Amino acid sequence: MNILLIGPPGAGKGTQAKRLEEAFGMIQLSTGDMLRAAVASGSAVGQQAKEIMDRGDLVPDALIIDMISERIDRDDCAGGFILDGFPRTVPQADALTKMLVEKDISLDRVIEIAVDDDAMVTRITGRLTCANCGKGYHDEFEKPEVDGVCDKCGATEFNRRADDNAETVRNRLAAYHEQTAPILAYYKDRGVLSSVDGMAQMDDVTGQLKGVIEGA
Ligand code: AMP
């Protein structure tokens, strides 16, 4: 089964995608993670994307579409995938539809994680991940049991995303409303859209998502 998670930055797409990956064996395809890896490696794509990402703007459609098309062709996607962060514009959604037809792959469900925008700035600016194992934490809502020590692996170094500062977050939220929200109507018209309440407790959101997937 192939699904797509849609929601503004901070809605919990990444966290929930990882949980669904474990529950259903589908693979998470996060264009944000792919771009951050490209930036870290210093590749041509990374160099092109870095400044745009630091501002919180969207990188050009063509670059993203090529990147995701190559990724979907890899063997590990054969058991199903969870798109996280793509498509983010109507032209990207159109390109995905065409691409999947050409590859003879279905998109079984598109799920909106609906959240209250005002809460997103606090959610995002407080988040951090363990530099060793990648476990996610939050300054207010999910602190490690021992201050400064990862619960999962014991490491003491943590990373924050360069674009998780208040100014960039506001720009990312604006980009979501202007450019990404219109794709909800695109998928509603095609009869594949569901919505879950992303303001609920994290486990509850996971339960709602599993319900949608199992019922699809
Ligand atoms: P994310 O990790 O999904 O929040 O993405 C981080 C940043 O990567 C975004 O603010 C954009 O600059 C860029 N990005 C990720 N996915 C896309 C996409 N599908 N289209 C354009 N830009 C993207």
Side-chain angles (χ1 to χ4, degrees):
M1 160 143 1
N2 304 310
I3 65 163
L4 157 58
L5 297 181
I6 302 183
K13 301 183 296 295
T15 306
Q16 296 297 340
K18 287 200 175 65
R19 290 174 167 210
L20 298 177
E21 208 174 29
E22 278 173 28
F24 295 104
M26 300 177 282
I27 191 141
Q28 175 194 14
L29 301 183
S30 156
T31 43
D33 284 351
M34 291 176 207
L35 289 169
R36 279 184 287 279
V39 170
S41 76
S43 70
V45 166
Q47 286 175 21
Q48 205 186 330
K50 184 175 184 322
E51 259 183 53
I52 303 172
M53 293 171 75
D54 285 346
R55 285 198 305 269
D57 292 334
L58 297 185
V59 306
D61 286 345
L63 185 156
I64 290 282
I65 291 160
D66 285 351
M67 191 174 78
I68 204 85
S69 175
E70 279 173 27
R71 184 67 191 82
I72 287 176
D73 286 339
R74 290 205 220 144
D75 291 347
D76 59 354
C77 290
F81 54 76
I82 306 163
L83 289 169
D84 158 13
F86 173 87
R88 244 179 168 97
T89 62
V90 172
Q92 286 184 15
D94 264 330
L96 176 66
T97 302
K98 246 191 251 154
M99 182 196 303
L100 294 180
V101 168
E102 277 164 19
K103 295 181 194 293
D104 196 19
I105 295 173
S106 62
L107 183 60
D108 302 293
R109 209 70 214 161
V110 175
I111 313 175
E112 175 195 17
I113 304 184
V115 288
D116 170 1
D117 237 42
D118 293 342
M120 293 304 108
V121 178
T122 320
R123 264 204 201 179
I124 297 174
T125 52
R127 63 188 186 182
L128 64 166
T129 51
C130 170
N132 180 50
C133 73
K135 179 168 169 34
Y137 294 96
H138 192 280
D139 290 330
E140 265 180 66
F141 312 127
E142 207 188 343
K143 297 179 185 174
E145 278 170 30
V146 178
D147 194 24
V149 182
C150 176
D151 299 344
K152 193 170 164 195
C153 75
T156 52
E157 297 280 322
F158 293 83
N159 292 330
R160 288 176 196 271
R161 275 174 50 172
D163 59 351
D164 275 355
N165 60 80
E167 193 190 332
T168 306
V169 168
R170 274 188 267 278
N171 203 22
R172 287 162 60 201
L173 285 168
Y176 176 80
H177 288 291
E178 281 161 25
Q179 299 179 71
T180 308
I183 68 178
L184 294 171
Y186 178 97
Y187 287 114
K188 191 168 180 215
D189 289 348
R190 284 161 180 76
V192 288
L193 184 70
S194 300
S195 183
V196 300
D197 172 15
M199 296 308 291
Q201 292 294 319
M202 232 191 272
D203 290 348
D204 186 351
V205 180
T206 310
Q208 293 180 57
L209 288 167
K210 284 182 177 170
V212 171
I213 292 168
E214 279 158 0

